[in-house]
C-alpha cells in the first residue's frame, strides 16, 4: 500500500491540476453553506471540510436521476434505429465520503446482477475514487454501526485522512498509484509520525458519534418479523410518502422507466422512483399489495435490514449516512425506527 | 449557483437543479439550510422537474385568422392583442375588458397585469381563480386582523401546544405545514381537526369534529359561546386589544349548542372540550385551508378570528392563525392586487387615498370591478367582450366555461398566456407561449408571507417569453412604456410602492436564501406587537338556514379534496410520470351505510348528479366518513369538459 502526504497548499495545487486534466467530482458549498457533490473546475470549489454530509449521496453520478438509456427513431418507413449512449468519460471522484463510497459499491452490485446494466456499472468502473475518511462525524451519522465507515481498509483507489496541516493519502489500487505518480510533484512519502497521527485519529473517531443506532437489534427484529403492527401503524400515519428517504439514500435503487419524446426522437428514460409511493407497487388490476404507508415503510426497512439483505448483498442495506434522518419531514427515518423498535421491544420484555 | 422555488403549494421550498449534459432539467434537490424545505421535498416537489421539457409545451405565438388559429410571431401576436383590447375598451368602455391573473405566476407578473388592467386600460375587472377558495380567507383575515397573513410562521407552528385545523387536508395541501404539526405532536401538542372528510390529518387528530359542510361557524361560535359563559376568556387582552366584545356577546346570547348538536349530531361535549383546551394552551394556532370554504359562506373565518382574539391567542408570537393552502404565489397575487376591489398592499379601492393612487402610478380613482365568476358569467350577457387570461384554464366554472368554449371566437376576444395548451388556448384569438418559472427569475410569496427570489435554472424552451416580459410588450404596443428590462427592476418597484414589501428589494432578496418576511406596515417590528394595535370583534353571523334533506332528490352533500400526487387542475401534475400514475379516475367516497342506501358498491363506476352538473367517478367505501357526506378525491381534470360540480354541493349518486 502506497502512503503519501499532501500538505494542504500542495493539495490545492494538485486539485487545480487535476481539474485541468480530468473531469472531477468533489464536495462543494452551496449558498446556504450546505455541502453538495458536483462537477468542479477548480480547487476554489472543492470544499473537503464542508459541514455535514452533502445533501444528496454520490449515487446520482452513477445511477442518474433521469437518464436516457437509449433513443429510438424511425428509419425510412419501416425501420427503427436504436442509439445507445456512448461509453462514459473517465472521472475522478475526489473527497467522496466512506458511507457514500460504500453506497456506490452497493448500487453497482445491484445493477451488476442478474444481468449487467452498463449504464451504471461502466460509470463506476470508469471513475477513480479518492475518498475522504471522516474524523468528525456529523450530527446524524451512524456509519460505524453499519459497516459504512468512517474509515476503510480497502475499497476506494485512495483514502484521504485529514491530519490538520496535511492529508495522508493511503492508496489501495494500481489505478490509484498510477494517478499519484502522475502528480508526484504535489506529495511526498508519508513519515511514520503521519501514520501515527492517522492511526490516532482513526481510533478516536468511534467515540465521537452522537447517534447510536441499534442496528443489530433492528436486523434481528426485522428478520424474525417481530415488529408489533402498532409501530407500522404509528409510523405509517406520519409518513407522508414524499420519497425523500429514497432519493437521499446512498443505497436505494428504485427506478421507473418511461418513454418520452425528446425532440425528433423517442427516448427510453430511467428516472428515480420510491417504494414509498403508492403507485410504485400498485398492479395493473388496481390491486395494491402495500396500500397503506405503514405497509410500504415495513417493506422499506425489511429490504434494508433483514438477513435476506445480508445474504444477497453481503452487507445490510444501510451505510449509516444519516441523510434520511435529516430529510424525513415526519421523523420516521431509519434511525428513529430502530430506536423506537428497541424501546418498544424492551418495554414489552419487561411487561 | 442559481436556485429556484417549488411551483406547487404555498409552502415555498427552495431547490437546486440537476442539469444533464444536454441541458435538460433532470432533477431538483431541496435546500438543506432553508427554513421551509429543510432538506426534503414532497412527492410533487421531487418530481416537478419533468413538466418543463414536456413536448406539449406551447412554443410559438399563435393568432386566429379567418376563424383559423395559425402560428405567428411575437410582434404580430402582441400587436393584434393590444389593438383588439384598446379597440374594445374604447368602443365599449373599460368595464368590457377583463383580466385574469394567476397565483402560480410571480409577483412581478401579477403586478404588471394589475398595471396593465388598472393603469393602462383603466378597468377594475381583475381577479384570479383563488377567488373561489384562498382569497376569501385572505380578505377576511385582512379585514378582521389588518393583515392578510397572521403571526405564525412554520417555526412557530412546530412549537404550538394546541393546533386547531379547519378545512384543510394538510398532508395534501401543504406538506411542510403538516411536517411542523407532526413535530408539535411529537413534542406532546394536541390536535383538533374540523373537517367533514376523513383525511390523513384526521387520523392523527386527538379530536375530530366531522362537521357537516356549511356548519363550521356553528361549532366555532359554539366554542366561543361556551368559553364566554365559562368566563374562560383572556379578559385583559380583550380590554386592551379589542373593541366590540359586548356586541359579540349579544349575538351569541341565545346560541344553543345542544340544539345544534341535536340537528347535526356532533357532541357538544366534544366542542366544549376542544374550546377549553384551545383557551388553556400556551401557544395555540389555528390552521385554515382552502377547504374552509367547503363551507359556502363568509362566516367561518370571522368566527375563527373571534375565537383567537377572545382567548388571547393573537397579537403575540407563536399563536394566531396561519393560512395553509393555495398555490405557490396565492399570497403574492393577493398582495399584488390581482383583485377587483383592492389594490397592491390590500388597500381597498373604495378607500384608497391619493397618496396610494399616485404611488402606484394610477391616474384617477381606481374602479371596483367584476370578480372572477362575475367576469365569466357576463360574457354571455355581452358585458365582457375581451378577456386577458394569464396562467389559468378557467376550469372552475364549468357551465360558464362551456358556454365560452361553445361561443368560441364569436363570444369574446380571448388572449391566453400559458405554458401548456388547453381547450381555452384552442379557441383563443391570441395565444402567447410563456416560460415556466424554471426558465426565468422573479419572486414568490409563500404562506408565511415570506418573499423569495428565484432565478433561472433551465434554458427557455421554444420561443417562449416570461409573463412579465409579455405584459411589458403588450403595454408598449398600447403606447405605454413600463420601462422594465429585467424582472428584478419590477421587484424593486414593488418594494417601493407596497408598504409590506418595503424590504423586498432585489438586493436584499439576493442575499438571503431564506427570503425576507413581510410586515404589514413595512416596519421591522411585528404590527401586532405595537402598543397601538387594536382590532374589532365582529359578530360573524351564521350560515343560512341549513337543512339536511335525506329524502330529497339530492340527499348527499359532497366535498372535494385533492391528492398528494395531484395539484390544481392537473395541467402540470398529469404531465409528470411519477405523479400521473397514482390515480386514474375520480374517487367518490361514501360511508358504507350510504353506499347501501343508494345501492352502489365498492369499485363500481358511478355517476355523481348535482342540480346542474354531472361527473363520473369510481366508488370507494370509507368507514370513517360520516353519513350524509360524500368525499370526491379529484385526481386530474382528465376531460376538460367534465363538469365537476364545485363543492360543497348537494348530489345524488347513481350506478352507471
Amino acid at each position: 500500500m502506497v502512503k503519501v502526504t499532501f500538505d494542504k497548499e500542495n493539495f490545492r495545487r494538485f486539485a487545480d491540476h487535476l481539474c485541468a486534466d480530468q473531469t472531477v467530482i468533489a464536495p462543494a458549498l452551496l449558498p446556504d453553506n450546505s455541502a453538495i457533490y458536483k462537477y468542479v473546475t477548480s480547487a476554489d470549489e472543492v470544499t473537503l471540510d464542508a459541514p455535514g454530509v452533502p445533501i444528496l449521496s454520490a449515487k446520482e453520478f452513477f445511477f442518474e436521476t433521469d437518464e436516457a438509456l437509449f433513443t429510438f427513431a424511425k428509419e425510412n418507413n419501416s425501420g427503427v434505429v436504436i442509439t445507445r449512449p456512448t461509453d462514459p468519460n473517465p472521472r475522478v471522484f475526489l473527497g467522496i465520503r466512506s458511507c457514500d463510497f460504500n453506497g456506490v459499491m452497493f448500487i453497482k452490485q445491484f445493477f451488476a446482477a442478474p444481468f449487467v446494466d452498463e449504464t451504471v456499472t461502466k460509470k463506476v468502473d470508469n471513475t477513480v475514487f479518492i475518498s475522504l475518511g471522516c474524523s468528525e462525524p456529523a450530527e446524524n451519522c451512524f456509519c460505524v454501526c453499519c459497516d459504512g465507515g468512517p474509515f476503510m481498509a480497502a475499497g476506494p483507489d485512495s483514502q484521504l485522512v485529514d491530519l490538520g496541516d496535511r492529508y495522508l493519502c493511503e492508496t489501495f489500487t494500481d489505478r490509484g498509484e498510477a494517478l499519484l505518480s502522475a502528480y508526484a510533484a504535489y506529495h511526498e512519502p508519508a513519515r511514520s509520525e503521519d501514520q501515527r497521527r492517522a492511526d490516532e485519529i482513526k481510533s478516536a473517531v468511534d467515540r465521537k458519534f452522537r447517534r447510536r443506532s441499534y442496528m443489530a437489534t433492528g436486523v434481528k427484529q426485522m428478520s424474525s418479523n417481530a415488529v408489533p403492527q402498532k409501530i407500522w401503524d404509528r409510523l405509517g400515519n406520519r409518513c407522508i410518502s414524499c420519497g425523500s428517504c429514497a432519493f437521499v439514500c446512498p443505497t436505494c435503487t428504485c427506478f421507473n422507466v418511461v418513454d418520452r419524446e425528446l425532440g425528433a426522437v423517442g427516448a427510453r428514460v430511467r428516472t428515480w422512483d420510491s417504494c414509498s409511493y403508492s403507485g410504485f407497487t400498485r398492479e395493473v388490476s388496481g390491486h395494491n399489495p402495500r396500500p397503506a404507508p405503514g405497509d410500504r415503510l415495513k417493506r422499506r426497512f425489511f429490504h434494508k435490514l433483514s438477513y435476506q439483505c445480508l445474504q444477497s448483498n453481503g452487507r445490510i442495506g444501510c451505510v449509516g449516512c444519516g441523510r434520511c434522518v435529516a430529510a424525513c419531514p415526519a421523523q420516521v427515518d431509519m434511525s428513529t425506527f430502530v430506536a423506537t423498535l428497541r424501546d418498544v421491544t424492551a418495554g414489552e420484555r419487561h411487561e | 449557483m442559481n436556485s429556484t422555488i417549488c411551483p406547487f403549494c404555498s409552502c415555498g421550498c427552495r431547490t437546486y437543479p440537476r442539469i444533464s449534459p444536454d441541458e435538460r432539467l433532470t432533477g431538483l434537490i431541496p435546500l438543506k439550510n432553508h427554513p421551509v424545505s429543510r432538506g426534503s421535498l414532497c412527492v410533487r416537489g421531487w418530481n416537478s422537474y419533468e413538466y418543463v421539457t414536456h413536448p406539449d409545451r406551447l412554443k410559438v405565438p399563435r393568432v386566429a385568422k379567418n376563424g383559423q388559429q395559425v402560428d405567428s410571431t411575437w410582434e404580430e401576436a402582441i400587436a393584434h392583442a393590444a389593438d383588439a383590447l384598446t379597440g374594445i375598451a374604447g368602443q365599449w368602455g373599460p368595464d368590457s375588458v377583463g383580466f385574469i391573473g394567476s397565483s402560480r405566476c410571480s409577483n412581478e407578473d401579477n403586478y404588471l397585469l394589475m398595471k396593465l388592467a388598472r393603469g393602462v386600460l383603466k378597468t377594475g375587472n381583475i381577479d384570479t381563480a383563488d377567488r373561489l377558495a384562498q382569497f376569501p380567507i385572505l380578505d377576511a383575515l385582512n379585514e378582521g386582523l389588518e393583515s392578510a397573513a397572521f403571526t405564525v410562521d412554520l417555526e412557530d407552528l412546530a412549537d404550538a401546544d394546541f393546533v386547531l385545523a379547519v378545512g384543510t387536508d394538510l398532508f395534501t395541501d401543504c406538506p411542510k405545514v403538516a411536517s411542523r404539526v407532526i413535530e408539535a405532536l411529537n413534542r406532546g401538542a394536541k390536535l383538533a381537526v374540523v373537517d367533514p372528510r376523513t383525511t390523513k390529518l384526521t387520523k392523527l387528530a386527538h379530536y375530530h369534529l366531522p362537521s357537516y359542510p356549511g356548519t363550521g361557524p356553528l361549532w366555532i361560535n359554539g366554542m366561543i359561546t361556551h368559553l364566554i359563559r365559562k368566563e374562560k376568556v383572556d379578559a385583559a387582552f380583550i380590554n386592551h386589544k379589542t373593541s366590540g366584545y359586548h356586541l359579540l356577546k349579544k349575538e351569541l346570547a341565545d346560541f344553543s349548542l345542544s340544539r345544534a348538536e341535536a340537528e347535526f349530531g356532533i357532541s357538544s361535549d366534544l366542542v366544549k372540550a376542544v374550546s377549553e383546551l384551545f383557551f388553556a394552551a400556551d401557544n395555540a394556532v389555528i390552521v385554515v385551508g382552502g377547504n374552509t370554504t367547503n363551507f359556502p359562506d363568509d362566516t367561518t373565518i370571522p368566527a375563527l378570528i373571534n375565537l383567537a382574539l377572545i382567548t388571547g391567542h393573537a397579537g403575540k408570537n407563536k399563536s394566531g392563525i396561519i393560512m395553509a393552502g393555495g398555490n405557490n404565489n396565492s399570497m403574492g397575487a393577493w398582495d399584488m392586487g390581482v383583485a377587483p376591489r383592492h389594490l397592491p398592499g390590500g388597500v381597498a379601492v373604495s378607500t384608497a387615498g391619493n397618496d396610494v393612487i399616485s404611488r402606484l402610478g394610477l391616474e384617477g380613482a381606481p374602479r371596483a370591478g367584476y370578480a372572477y365568476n362575475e367576469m365569466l358569467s357576463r360574457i354571455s350577457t355581452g358585458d365582457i367582450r375581451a378577456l386577458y387570461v394569464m396562467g389559468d384554464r378557467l376550469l372552475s366554472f364549468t357551465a360558464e366555461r362551456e358556454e365560452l368554449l361553445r361561443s368560441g371566437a364569436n363570444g369574446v376576444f380571448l388572449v391566453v398566456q400559458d405554458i401548456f395548451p388547453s381547450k381555452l388556448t384552442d379557441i383563443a384569438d391570441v395565444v402567447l407561449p410563456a416560460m415556466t418559472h424554471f426558465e426565468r427569475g422573479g419572486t414568490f410569496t409563500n404562506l408565511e408571507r415570506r418573499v423569495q427570489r428565484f432565478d433561472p435554472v433551465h434554458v427557455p424552451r421554444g420561443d417562449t417569453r416570461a409573463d412579465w416580459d409579455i405584459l411589458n410588450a403588450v403595454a408598449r404596443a398600447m403606447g405605454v412604456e413600463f420601462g422594465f428590462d429585467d424582472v428584478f427592476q419590477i421587484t424593486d418597484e414593488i418594494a417601493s410602492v407596497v408598504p409590506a414589501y418595503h424590504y423586498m428589494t432585489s438586493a436584499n432578496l439576493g442575499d438571503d436564501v431564506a427570503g425576507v418576511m413581510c410586515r404589514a406596515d413595512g416596519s421591522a417590528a411585528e404590527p401586532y406587537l405595537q402598543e397601538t394595535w387594536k382590532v374589532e370583534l365582529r359578530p360573524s353571523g351564521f350560515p343560512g338556514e341549513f337543512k339536511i334533506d335525506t329524502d330529497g332528490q339530492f340527499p348527499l352533500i359532497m366535498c372535494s379534496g385533492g391528492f398528494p400526487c395531484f395539484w390544481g387542475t392537473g395541467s402540470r401534475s398529469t404531465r409528470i410520470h411519477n405523479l400521473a400514475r397514482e390515480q386514474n379516475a375520480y374517487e367518490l367516497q361514501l360511508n358504507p351505510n350510504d353506499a347501501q342506501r343508494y345501492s352502489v358498491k365498492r369499485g363500481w363506476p358511478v355517476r355523481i348528479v348535482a342540480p346542474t352538473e354531472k361527473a363520473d367517478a369510481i366508488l370507494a367505501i370509507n368507514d370513517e366518513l360520516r353519513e350524509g357526506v360524500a368525499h370526491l378525491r379529484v385526481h386530474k381534470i382528465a376531460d376538460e369538459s367534465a363538469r365537476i360540480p364545485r363543492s360543497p354541493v348537494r348530489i345524488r349518486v347513481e350506478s352507471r
Side-chain angles (χ1 to χ4, degrees):
Chain A
M1 189 202 304
V2 168
K3 297 193 199 195
V4 302
T5 58
F6 292 82
D7 73 55
K8 294 229 167 144
E9 194 43 52
N10 274 328
F11 188 83
R12 267 187 66 85
R13 296 195 193 103
F14 161 62
D16 265 331
H17 198 158
L18 196 65
C19 287
D21 292 344
Q22 316 244 13
T23 306
V24 180
I25 305 165
L29 272 188
L30 288 172
D32 71 327
N33 271 339
S34 64
I36 193 169
Y37 291 125
K38 67 187 286 281
Y39 288 103
V40 294
T41 51
S42 75
D44 278 339
E45 289 185 84
V46 178
T47 319
L48 292 187
D49 56 357
V53 285
I55 175 82
L56 280 194
S57 72
K59 79 181 178 191
E60 55 162 329
F61 295 96
F62 308 97
F63 161 45
E64 293 182 13
T65 57
D66 186 293
E67 181 181 3
L69 301 173
F70 58 85
T71 59
F72 46 92
K74 260 188 167 170
E75 178 181 55
N76 305 321
N77 278 323
S78 56
V80 178
V81 173
I82 292 183
T83 310
R84 307 189 59 150
T86 52
D87 277 351
N89 292 328
R91 298 172 297 184
V92 177
F93 206 132
L94 181 64
I96 184 173
R97 304 248 174 184
S98 308
C99 52
D100 291 325
F101 176 79
N102 284 311
V104 174
M105 291 298 108
F106 188 91
I107 298 228
K108 180 187 167 180
Q109 198 175 280
F110 175 83
F111 281 102
F115 63 89
V116 180
D117 187 337
E118 291 183 342
T119 61
V120 175
T121 57
K122 275 194 174 171
K123 291 196 184 85
V124 180
D125 293 338
N126 268 9
T127 303
V128 175
F129 291 94
I130 303 175
S131 71
L132 175 68
C134 296
S135 22
E136 294 293 334
E139 188 193 332
N140 296 316
C141 293
F142 55 100
C143 63
V144 68
C145 306
C146 297
D147 197 22
F151 290 97
M152 292 178 281
D157 295 286
S158 295
Q159 172 174 252
L160 297 171
V161 183
D162 190 344
L163 300 183
D165 64 332
R166 61 190 64 223
Y167 290 108
L168 173 72
C169 180
E170 304 168 307
T171 300
F172 306 119
T173 68
D174 293 339
R175 186 170 68 171
E177 281 183 35
L179 184 131
L180 279 188
S181 10
Y183 295 92
Y186 304 107
H187 56 79
E188 53 189 26
R191 305 160 298 180
S192 54
E193 63 191 89
D194 298 320
Q195 186 59 66
R196 205 180 17 86
R197 273 161 71 194
D199 288 341
E200 273 168 18
I201 289 169
K202 287 181 187 182
S203 56
V205 72
D206 278 18
R207 286 190 297 280
K208 296 184 183 178
F209 280 86
R210 281 163 271 175
R211 183 174 284 269
R212 284 284 149 197
S213 192
Y214 307 98
M215 297 306 274
T217 314
V219 171
K220 207 159 101 185
Q221 299 293 136
M222 286 302 311
S223 301
S224 53
N225 201 24
V227 180
Q229 181 61 34
K230 69 177 182 228
I231 287 190
W232 301 122
D233 294 340
R234 188 196 136 91
L235 295 178
N237 280 341
R238 284 163 166 64
C239 171
I240 71 171
S241 302
C242 65
S244 297
C245 53
F247 296 145
V248 301
C249 175
T251 58
C252 276
T253 50
C254 289
F255 60 84
N256 193 8
V257 178
V258 300
D259 286 343
R260 290 211 205 113
E261 272 181 55
L262 216 63
V265 302
R268 176 144 301 166
V269 180
R270 178 181 56 211
T271 69
W272 283 4
D273 203 340
S274 169
C275 63
S276 62
Y277 295 157
S278 162
F280 185 78
T281 348
R282 191 184 64 240
E283 296 161 6
V284 172
S285 64
H287 170 68
N288 193 336
R290 300 185 199 116
D295 300 331
R296 301 193 285 274
L297 272 181
K298 181 176 176 180
R299 183 260 166 207
R300 173 184 177 72
F301 292 134
F302 184 84
H303 179 82
K304 293 194 175 291
L305 295 183
S306 68
Y307 280 144
Q308 262 187 14
C309 183
L310 266 170
Q311 280 176 334
S312 315
N313 300 301
R315 56 160 299 123
I316 59 169
C318 174
V319 295
C321 71
R323 287 186 175 88
C324 58
V325 177
C328 180
Q331 294 166 29
V332 293
D333 56 88
M334 175 72 76
S335 176
T336 306
F337 160 66
V338 175
T340 310
L341 191 55
R342 182 177 184 268
D343 292 342
V344 164
T345 50
E348 285 183 351
R349 250 183 271 123
H350 290 136
E351 272 160 19
Chain B
M1 205 171 171
N2 281 355
S3 64
T4 186
I5 302 289
C6 180
F8 285 118
C9 85
S10 57
C11 288
C13 293
R14 187 173 283 283
T15 59
Y16 283 101
R18 274 315 183 223
I19 308 283
S20 66
D22 60 335
E23 297 198 313
R24 284 183 305 119
L25 187 63
T26 52
L28 290 166
I29 311 178
L31 195 42
K32 198 177 199 176
N33 297 332
H34 184 263
V36 179
S37 51
R38 299 193 305 182
S40 69
L41 298 172
C42 74
V43 60
R44 289 181 292 251
W46 280 110
N47 294 295
S48 56
Y49 69 90
E50 205 180 328
Y51 75 84
V52 179
T53 50
H54 197 280
D56 286 349
R57 284 283 304 279
L58 291 172
K59 294 197 185 74
V60 288
R62 287 167 71 78
V63 294
K65 285 179 177 167
N66 304 320
Q68 277 273 78
Q69 211 186 69
V70 296
D71 284 352
S72 174
T73 63
W74 278 106
E75 209 183 313
E76 183 184 32
I78 287 185
H80 189 45
D83 288 344
L85 290 167
T86 13
I88 290 169
Q91 187 178 3
W92 303 100
D95 288 345
S96 67
V97 183
F99 287 83
I100 295 193
S102 174
S103 54
R104 289 166 284 278
C105 291
S106 78
N107 290 322
E108 297 75 18
D109 305 329
N110 282 306
Y111 181 72
L112 282 199
L113 190 82
M114 185 279 310
K115 276 180 83 123
L116 189 63
R118 290 195 179 281
V120 179
L121 282 160
K122 314 235 187 290
T123 179
N125 299 338
I126 174 171
D127 206 359
T128 162
D130 277 35
R131 175 64 43 206
L132 305 170
Q134 280 334 104
F135 275 24
I137 299 176
L138 296 177
D139 285 345
L141 286 175
N142 191 48
E143 199 180 300
L145 292 173
E146 296 168 17
S147 167
F150 207 45
T151 63
V152 186
D153 61 25
L154 289 177
E155 207 182 306
D156 287 348
L157 180 54
D159 282 339
D161 305 300
F162 193 87
V163 178
L164 176 63
V166 184
T168 172
D169 177 10
L170 281 184
F171 287 92
T172 296
D173 299 337
C174 251
K176 290 298 176 186
V177 177
S179 173
R180 301 313 190 276
V181 171
I182 290 179
E183 236 177 279
L185 289 176
N186 285 349
R187 265 215 223 79
K190 296 281 183 270
L191 172 66
V193 180
V194 184
D195 198 328
R197 308 162 296 178
T198 63
T199 63
K200 203 172 169 74
L201 192 68
T202 59
K203 276 206 181 71
L204 283 179
H206 299 94
Y207 309 95
H208 177 202
L209 284 71
S211 61
Y212 211 65
T215 64
L218 283 175
W219 308 119
I220 301 162
N221 279 312
M223 290 184 194
I224 295 172
T225 306
H226 175 69
L227 293 174
I228 292 175
R229 289 180 190 161
K230 290 283 178 198
E231 290 178 2
K232 291 195 168 177
V233 297
D234 188 333
F237 184 92
I238 293 171
N239 286 336
H240 201 48
K241 291 292 193 182
T242 74
S243 58
Y245 185 49
H246 56 289
L247 288 172
L248 181 65
K249 281 202 288 189
K250 192 162 158 215
E251 185 199 41
L252 299 174
D254 300 324
F255 184 85
S256 162
L257 202 62
S258 48
R259 187 198 137 245
E261 171 180 350
E263 265 200 59
F264 302 110
I266 296 181
S267 147
S268 58
D269 286 341
L270 180 61
V271 172
K272 290 174 185 173
V274 168
S275 70
E276 294 194 18
L277 287 167
F278 184 84
F279 166 71
D282 287 327
N283 300 323
V285 178
I286 300 174
V287 180
V288 298
N291 274 296
T292 305
T293 49
N294 252 323
F295 316 135
D297 62 280
D298 51 7
T299 52
T300 308
I301 303 295
L304 286 173
I305 291 173
N306 290 340
L307 179 64
L309 289 171
I310 66 159
T311 53
H313 289 305
K316 61 178 187 180
N317 282 321
K318 299 184 191 290
S319 289
I321 301 183
I322 185 171
M323 176 190 88
N327 284 315
N328 56 305
N329 204 30
S330 287
M331 185 70 77
W334 193 94
D335 286 336
M336 293 302 108
V338 182
R341 292 184 185 93
H342 77 250
L343 299 172
V347 179
V349 158
S350 51
T351 58
N354 286 328
D355 58 326
V356 172
I357 293 169
S358 64
R359 198 170 63 226
L360 290 170
L362 304 172
E363 291 162 18
R367 311 156 70 88
Y370 296 134
Y372 183 84
N373 45 318
E374 292 168 334
M375 280 192 255
L376 292 187
S377 61
R378 278 172 167 72
I379 293 172
S380 54
T381 60
D383 292 316
I384 292 283
R385 292 175 180 266
L387 210 52
Y388 193 113
V389 183
M390 177 174 83
D392 197 321
R393 295 196 286 171
L394 304 184
L395 278 165
S396 307
F397 280 93
T398 46
E400 289 85 351
R401 185 179 193 267
E402 275 211 13
E403 182 57 44
L404 174 66
L405 294 178
R406 227 197 319 275
S407 68
N410 299 326
V412 64
F413 188 88
L414 189 58
V415 180
V416 181
Q417 190 172 307
D418 212 331
I419 60 176
F420 283 120
S422 65
K423 290 198 167 145
L424 202 66
T425 60
D426 287 346
I427 58 145
D429 293 283
V430 180
V431 179
L432 303 168
M435 289 180 189
T436 65
H437 87 292
F438 288 114
E439 296 155 302
R440 41 151 296 186
T443 63
F444 293 139
T445 308
N446 82 345
L447 58 90
E448 298 169 294
R449 252 214 175 150
R450 178 190 303 272
V451 178
Q452 303 193 86
R453 169 175 168 153
F454 61 92
D455 288 281
V457 295
H458 194 277
V459 293
R461 305 286 290 172
D463 189 11
T464 53
R465 289 168 66 162
D467 291 295
W468 67 267
D469 190 22
I470 299 172
L471 294 164
N472 201 41
V474 171
R476 184 179 293 134
M478 290 181 178
V480 175
E481 187 55 60
F482 285 154
F484 298 117
D485 302 309
D486 177 78
V487 69
F488 296 111
Q489 290 169 350
I490 309 174
T491 315
D492 286 334
E493 179 170 313
I494 293 169
S496 71
V497 304
V498 179
Y501 282 59
H502 182 63
Y503 292 98
M504 277 59 158
T505 58
S506 56
N508 285 348
L509 290 169
D511 280 343
D512 196 339
V513 291
V516 182
M517 301 290 264
C518 284
R519 298 289 171 240
D521 67 349
S523 69
E526 319 276 5
Y528 54 89
L529 291 176
Q530 312 281 23
E531 252 309 296
T532 48
W533 186 81
K534 194 161 173 140
V535 283
E536 203 182 314
L537 285 161
R538 296 157 214 252
S540 69
F542 292 93
E545 186 56 40
F546 195 91
K547 281 204 122 13
I548 302 175
D549 183 11
T550 51
D551 295 325
Q553 264 224 307
F554 302 102
L556 292 164
I557 186 153
M558 184 180 81
C559 320
S560 65
F563 202 121
C565 292
F566 169 76
W567 191 258
T569 60
S571 63
R572 293 169 299 174
S573 59
T574 56
R575 291 183 164 105
I576 296 169
H577 281 99
N578 285 353
L579 299 183
R581 74 171 176 205
E582 287 298 310
Q583 192 178 344
N584 291 322
Y586 305 128
E587 178 189 271
L588 184 77
Q589 294 180 357
L590 284 184
N591 175 285
N593 294 337
D594 280 331
Q596 191 164 44
R597 195 170 287 130
Y598 304 114
S599 311
V600 285
K601 290 200 165 124
R602 182 197 308 269
W604 280 19
V606 294
R607 175 145 296 152
I608 300 165
V609 182
T612 55
E613 290 142 323
K614 296 180 175 50
D616 290 338
I618 302 292
L619 194 83
I621 302 293
N622 184 341
D623 296 317
E624 294 161 31
L625 189 62
R626 66 170 302 165
E627 286 185 39
V629 173
H631 178 188
L632 179 69
R633 293 187 88 199
V634 179
H635 132 80
K636 69 177 185 175
I637 313 294
D639 173 358
E640 285 190 32
S641 61
R643 306 176 87 178
I644 299 145
R646 216 173 60 75
S647 71
V649 65
R650 296 184 184 285
I651 63 163
R652 66 169 177 274
V653 178
E654 298 166 353
S655 84
R656 274 190 279 142

